[in-house]
Amino acid sequence: MKTNSISKPYFIRINTTLQQVIFVLLLFLCLFPVISPPIALLLGLVVGNLSGHPFLHLNHKATNILLQVSVVGLGFGMNVHSAVSAGKEGFLFTIGSIIATITLGSLLGKWFKVQKKTSHLISCGTAICGGSAIAAIAPVIKSNEKETSVALGVIFILNSIALFVFPIIGHWLQLSQTDFGMWCAIAIHDTSSVVGAASKYGTEALQVATTVKLARALWIVPVALITAVVFKNKTGKVKIPYFIGLFILAMICNTYFSPVAIATPYLVSIAKIGLTVTLFLIGAGLNSSVLKSVGLLPLLQGVLLWISIAVGTLVAIMSFS
């Protein structure tokens, strides 16, 4: 009888049934508070590279839906007035950092001779909101699967590092909750890692980071429209992040409707579990084949761009706080 073994180059080769059992058990473990977002990401990375992700074909869709639902759930734990205050404070940082990041990314891409579309996707992913920005910009510039995959690979690798590194640096520099939340929102690519890092730092940091990051995500639309002009594409469709509207509605409900406020602790707890599961799935999707497909030059572009925006933003925040 033929054994259904895993043909991909994972470190441990096991039959499909055992692979699925291990994966589901670890996924179930992420439903409990003992597993923090960074640990969930690490578990995903370990299982994804040791035994593999048995449901990889569903991963992108699952993480996308889970992340959006979780972010909306977090909105039920936030106050409109505090969110507006945080959004106003981060507005100038957002505009300046987006322009600087895309400009510097373009220069680095030319310097390293990275393919133009890949370079632009990496720049937009770093400037706005990681994978969501890449997913929105890719059809506008008509990038092929490899160009999009390389850009996503770069962003996801750096996201994973940021989730662990940023809280350590924040505590080392003794950043306030507000300053750390602002830094996370601007300098970490993907919303999942922004929320994960900020939640580990504190409640106020989480509120600031989530609000500023989602306000930043709205810049996908103007950046995509400008991109369409630059790449001379009149037919490219822009994916608008509609779930941000639901996030705002959740905040309004929590602020002005007391019956909703009673359920807030439960909704926020469920949302945080959803975020933890999302990070586990993202980690599980980063197997060795994804890492190898990225290539050295696009990774160098992404790393230098990310370090530049992270350091520049941190200096600006500490100077003006």
Side-chain angles (χ1 to χ4, degrees), residues 272-291:
K272 288 182 177 180
I273 291 171
L275 174 69
T276 303
V277 173
T278 301
L279 287 166
F280 170 78
L281 293 175
I282 288 174
L286 284 175
N287 57 49
S288 57
S289 61
V290 173
L291 303 180

Side-chain angles (χ1 to χ4, degrees), residues 1 36 50 61 69 79 151 157 165 170 178 187 224 229-230 240 247 285 287 293 300:
M1 183 175 179
S36 65
L50 285 183
K61 188 172 183 179
V69 171
N79 182 278
I157 291 169
V165 171
T178 301
V229 174
V230 172
I240 300 173
F247 170 81
N287 57 49
S293 70
L300 279 175

Side-chain angles (χ1 to χ4, degrees), residues 78 86 171 175-185 194-213:
M78 298 184 183
H171 287 300
L175 294 179
S176 68
Q177 295 272 326
T178 301
D179 287 350
F180 183 80
M182 188 74 68
W183 185 41
C184 278
V194 169
V195 176
S199 64
K200 189 177 180 182
Y201 205 80
T203 304
E204 187 180 343
L206 175 61
Q207 178 161 314
V208 172
T210 306
T211 305
V212 174
K213 189 63 179 180

